[in-house]
Amino acid sequence: MNILVINAGSSSLKYQLYDMKDESVLASGRVERIGMDSSIVTHEPEGRPEVRIVDEILEHTSAIKRVLDMLTHPEHGVLRSVQEIDAVGHRVVHGGEAFKESAVVTPETKLEIRKLFDLAPLHNPAHMMGITAVEAVLPGVTQAVVFDTAFHQTMPQQSYLYPVPMVLYKRHAIRRYGFHGTSHAYVSERAAEVLGRPLEELKLVSCHIGNGASATAILHGKSFDTSMGMTPLEGLMMGTRSGDLDPAIVPYTMNKEDLTLSEVNSMLNKHSGLLAISGLSSDMREITEAMFDGDKTRSSPSRCTPTGSKSTSAPMRRR
Amino acid sequence: MNFRKIGVIGAGTMGQSIAEMLAYKGMDVFLMELTPAKLEQGLRSIEISLDKQIEKWALTQAEKKLILNRIHGVSDMSDFSQCELIIETITEDLERKKAIIAAADRACPPDVILASNTSTLSLTELASAAAHPERVIGMHFVYPVFKVDLVEIVRGLRTSDATFKSTKGFVEQVIDKKGVMVFESPGFITTRLICLFINEALHILEEGVASVDDIDSAMRIGYSFQHGPFEMADRFGLDSVHAALESMFREYGELKYRPSFILKKMVRGGQLGVKSGAGFFTYDEDGDRV
């Protein structure tokens, strides 16, 4: 049985194809910089040289089609046809309160994921595009979804409740959910292995740093608190996401700039963070290169530090 | 029914706005105009609109590029062969719209839905031009289509249940807008109410009760309208408001729909609002008030 695992992020898509007879990896790879002129596709068939292609890939559906092309490529592929893929697993960022564990994709599952678009506007739509693209190319294949929020379901009430009227939680499930759950779970298990101590005895802070970033306090192997909140916008400053800011800035800016809800959402999710601070790019590699080239960018990587350290320690301080 | 490729006939204000929204939602749009110059102008206006949205942080440069890549200018209905839905958006002229519906009906297979963005005309009459009137339906969008999440879905006498069901599914699940079902009636809900609102504001002005600015401020601040009736009329196009009122006046025969003389005079004088740069207010090339 071959299972394709897809992790569609906001600007990247990673994949691994497993042969479940021995849980071996047949191929893996990633599509980076989706939405930019020079997207990079890196395909690694097991035991053969890596293939790297630079091309324009503007959205996730095209990215998934490209992955399937790679897996069945006469020269670099590992499958004769896409029909040899028996099941597909997707990482899904937001499961809200509807999903406390993984689920098989059904019309109802998709509807629930769609309902959570507002809470993870950069991610759940990208995951849905992945699911839809797989449905189009592999009709009838079983698909499963694994949620980032599930690991954080162990958080105590003191961690997940916001200090706002309780009625908002009761009516609209406004609470901290936390994200990057599968990553924080894996990192904590690896940390215990490396330290040579049982996970159940450890108090850890794990950091997930990518285009999105979060820190989690893990108490005896369970998520105790985390920097991301109801949406992946809270916490550390990120590539294009603002992270923590004074909540009063939002209505003030909407009023002064005459912005709609979707405009302010887009501003905070797609036009803020490192991109806004640097005035150059959301990609640290581009900023570092520009700095070495003498570019007078408004930022330096050290600008990330104050907000970063504050949010990284916050989950522990709340205890 | 899958909706991946949509044909849009007419690259005027509504055609541009609908094409832009559909491409933003991920569909390939085939935008048709009579002449290459008009098509070019329509595509340029879409680009300006997208740039304005970037200025307001609503879009990124990559999203703009993606949207523009999905809009394909065409000059002939044979280019609609792959489309699942055709939306016509030409001016509110019954005979011209009937000719367009008839041509689209001949050019497209019978399972393709033919929708009209008419705001006042009879769907039954438009559908009578088609050999397959059961696939003709009204989809009345509200400008700016990108921002306003409402579509009036209008059934003609012979519109089939299947056409209505597919159209409702498209509106509510594919483009995520609220679809309100309307039985055929001139002006439907939105045009009938908003044109009367604008016409009454014009009567208040004619009677010397208040100034343009004060009438607009009263309704904008007092009743939380985004724009007052005069700026709203400028943005719709005074000629469009005039045509809609004339059409409803003819259909209903009631005096309340008779267009105000100020409106008639301004349309005759070519002061059409945002599209001509001047109406009740003046506007720059980007459509912002000066």
Side-chain angles (χ1 to χ4, degrees):
Chain A
M1 184 188 217
N2 297 321
I3 295 182
L4 176 64
V5 177
I6 291 172
N7 176 1
S10 50
S11 65
S12 67
L13 186 147
K14 294 172 189 150
Y15 63 94
Q16 280 200 316
L17 181 70
Y18 288 92
D19 180 350
M20 294 311 290
K21 281 201 300 280
D22 52 2
E23 295 191 10
S24 61
V25 176
L26 297 175
S28 61
R30 60 194 176 276
V31 186
E32 293 169 282
R33 298 162 61 91
I34 296 173
M36 298 191 194
D37 290 341
S38 51
S39 308
I40 305 162
V41 184
T42 311
H43 176 68
E44 299 172 44
E46 197 58 24
R48 278 182 280 163
E50 177 184 292
V51 185
R52 195 175 152 91
I53 296 168
V54 178
D55 199 358
E56 183 180 79
I57 297 177
L58 292 175
E59 37 80 59
H60 290 73
T61 308
S62 311
I64 290 206
K65 282 180 184 160
R66 186 59 68 92
V67 168
L68 295 176
D69 286 346
M70 280 298 203
L71 291 173
T72 54
H73 192 276
E75 195 181 335
H76 314 300
V78 292
L79 301 173
R80 279 189 301 276
S81 94
V82 291
Q83 306 307 326
E84 290 177 24
I85 297 171
D86 299 294
V88 178
H90 295 265
R91 170 213 178 193
V92 173
V93 160
H94 214 309
E97 288 208 317
F99 297 103
K100 294 190 180 348
E101 52 192 20
S102 306
V104 171
V105 174
T106 62
E108 293 74 28
T109 316
K110 287 196 290 182
L111 191 66
E112 287 297 332
I113 296 171
R114 201 178 272 277
K115 280 185 193 166
L116 296 163
F117 276 12
D118 278 351
L119 296 182
L122 288 188
H123 294 93
N124 276 26
H127 304 318
M128 186 56 83
M129 279 193 274
I131 292 167
T132 312
V134 171
E135 275 177 348
V137 184
L138 302 168
V141 75
T142 302
Q143 297 195 79
V145 279
V146 178
F147 297 95
D148 269 29
T149 45
F151 177 66
H152 299 294
Q153 287 295 308
T154 53
M155 282 191 294
Q157 204 178 48
Q158 72 205 66
S159 298
Y160 73 69
L161 279 185
Y162 286 115
V164 292
M166 187 61 107
V167 72
L168 294 176
Y169 170 64
K170 288 180 180 157
R171 279 189 197 152
H172 308 295
I174 291 174
R175 50 160 283 182
R176 180 182 307 283
Y177 291 99
F179 299 89
H180 300 143
T182 50
S183 169
H184 289 296
Y186 172 75
V187 166
S188 61
E189 284 163 21
R190 276 292 293 150
E193 276 176 38
V194 171
L195 292 168
R197 292 174 58 189
L199 183 58
E200 295 70 27
E201 286 177 9
L202 291 174
K203 294 177 180 178
L204 298 167
V205 172
S206 64
C207 298
H208 177 100
I209 311 291
N211 198 35
S214 69
T216 296
I218 299 170
L219 186 65
H220 308 148
K222 291 180 176 169
S223 173
F224 179 80
D225 204 346
T226 188
S227 62
M228 282 183 164
M230 183 177 87
T231 73
L233 185 57
E234 192 183 342
L236 299 154
M237 180 179 84
M238 293 165 248
T240 60
R241 278 173 266 171
S242 65
D244 287 339
L245 41 80
D246 180 346
I249 290 170
V250 178
Y252 185 81
T253 310
M254 286 178 79
N255 186 36
K256 288 287 178 190
E257 294 283 335
D258 192 22
L259 299 181
T260 62
L261 281 176
S262 87
E263 284 163 353
V264 79
N265 247 328
S266 169
M267 181 188 81
L268 294 171
N269 278 290
K270 299 179 187 172
H271 297 263
S272 299
L274 200 51
L275 175 66
I277 289 287
S278 71
L280 179 70
S281 171
S282 59
D283 192 323
M284 189 60 91
R285 286 167 293 193
E286 280 186 21
I287 293 170
T288 313
E289 272 173 34
M291 283 169 64
F292 282 123
D293 291 345
D295 188 302
K296 295 263 185 272
T297 176
R298 287 187 286 124
S299 169
S300 73
S302 61
R303 284 290 292 272
C304 308
T305 313
T307 321
S309 57
K310 206 164 68 182
S311 286
T312 310
S313 59
M316 279 305 188
R317 286 205 310 271
R318 270 196 285 271
R319 202 186 165 197
Chain B
M1 191 168 183
N2 265 335
F3 292 95
R4 296 248 170 230
K5 295 186 168 126
I6 316 289
V8 175
I9 305 172
T13 309
M14 287 308 288
Q16 290 160 24
S17 202
I18 291 169
E20 184 185 323
M21 177 276 298
L22 293 171
Y24 174 75
K25 298 281 183 184
M27 278 152 277
D28 277 312
V29 181
F30 296 82
L31 182 61
M32 186 182 135
E33 250 304 346
L34 281 175
T35 64
K38 279 190 172 176
L39 182 62
E40 184 57 35
Q41 190 186 345
L43 292 170
R44 206 167 42 244
S45 298
I46 291 174
E47 195 166 352
I48 291 169
S49 161
L50 294 173
D51 283 335
K52 287 182 76 175
Q53 291 184 60
I54 291 174
E55 275 173 33
K56 285 208 132 192
W57 305 291
L59 291 177
T60 62
Q61 286 289 350
E63 286 169 329
K64 173 190 162 186
K65 197 168 180 183
L66 196 58
I67 289 168
L68 290 175
N69 279 351
R70 288 192 187 122
I71 302 176
H72 317 281
V74 300
S75 57
D76 194 278
M77 287 200 194
S78 59
D79 294 308
F80 290 159
S81 58
Q82 303 290 310
C83 294
E84 294 93 11
L85 166 69
I86 311 293
I87 306 171
E88 77 73 24
T89 70
I90 67 166
T91 45
E92 289 285 284
D93 178 315
L94 182 66
E95 291 312 316
R96 284 186 60 200
K97 275 195 191 283
K98 280 173 78 171
I100 285 286
I101 293 283
D105 184 61
R106 284 192 299 274
C108 303
D111 57 336
V112 175
I113 295 174
L114 303 183
S116 170
N117 182 53
T118 181
S119 55
T120 54
L121 300 174
S122 159
L123 252 301
T124 304
E125 197 161 357
L126 286 177
S128 70
H132 297 280
E134 69 282 356
R135 46 117 155 226
V136 179
I137 195 161
M139 278 173 79
H140 180 224
F141 292 86
V142 181
Y143 184 81
V145 180
F146 200 91
K147 278 189 181 176
V148 183
D149 288 332
L150 178 84
V151 180
E152 287 178 296
I153 306 172
V154 191
R155 291 185 76 150
L157 196 63
R158 294 176 68 184
T159 306
S160 69
D161 287 343
T163 299
F164 174 74
K165 205 174 150 197
S166 294
T167 306
K168 194 168 162 56
F170 173 75
V171 169
E172 297 192 337
Q173 282 153 36
V174 181
I175 59 174
D176 289 322
K177 293 188 185 290
K178 170 72 183 165
V180 290
M181 195 186 103
V182 185
F183 291 106
E184 186 175 299
S185 167
F188 316 128
I189 303 171
T190 55
T191 307
R192 184 168 166 182
L193 285 173
I194 213 69
C195 285
L196 276 180
F197 171 67
I198 291 168
N199 212 30
E200 202 56 37
L202 284 157
H203 291 322
I204 294 174
L205 183 69
E206 271 174 354
E207 290 162 18
V209 177
S211 68
V212 167
D213 268 327
D214 283 347
I215 296 169
D216 260 22
S217 295
M219 298 315 291
R220 200 166 34 81
I221 300 166
Y223 289 89
S224 300
F225 280 82
Q226 194 189 355
H227 303 298
F230 295 112
E231 185 170 346
M232 205 185 271
D234 277 351
R235 294 195 176 279
F236 292 150
L238 299 192
D239 51 340
S240 304
V241 175
H242 180 259
L245 281 166
E246 282 284 10
S247 167
M248 290 189 286
F249 183 39
R250 271 198 310 275
E251 289 281 342
Y252 291 110
E254 290 184 43
L255 281 176
K256 64 181 176 183
Y257 296 105
R258 190 175 65 190
S260 132
F261 290 112
I262 296 179
L263 186 62
K264 283 186 180 175
K265 204 158 59 181
M266 290 179 76
V267 172
R268 283 175 190 148
Q271 290 191 300
L272 306 180
V274 174
K275 64 174 91 166
S276 67
F280 292 100
F281 304 98
T282 49
Y283 301 87
D284 62 19
E285 272 189 351
D286 293 341
D288 292 324
R289 262 179 70 176
V290 178

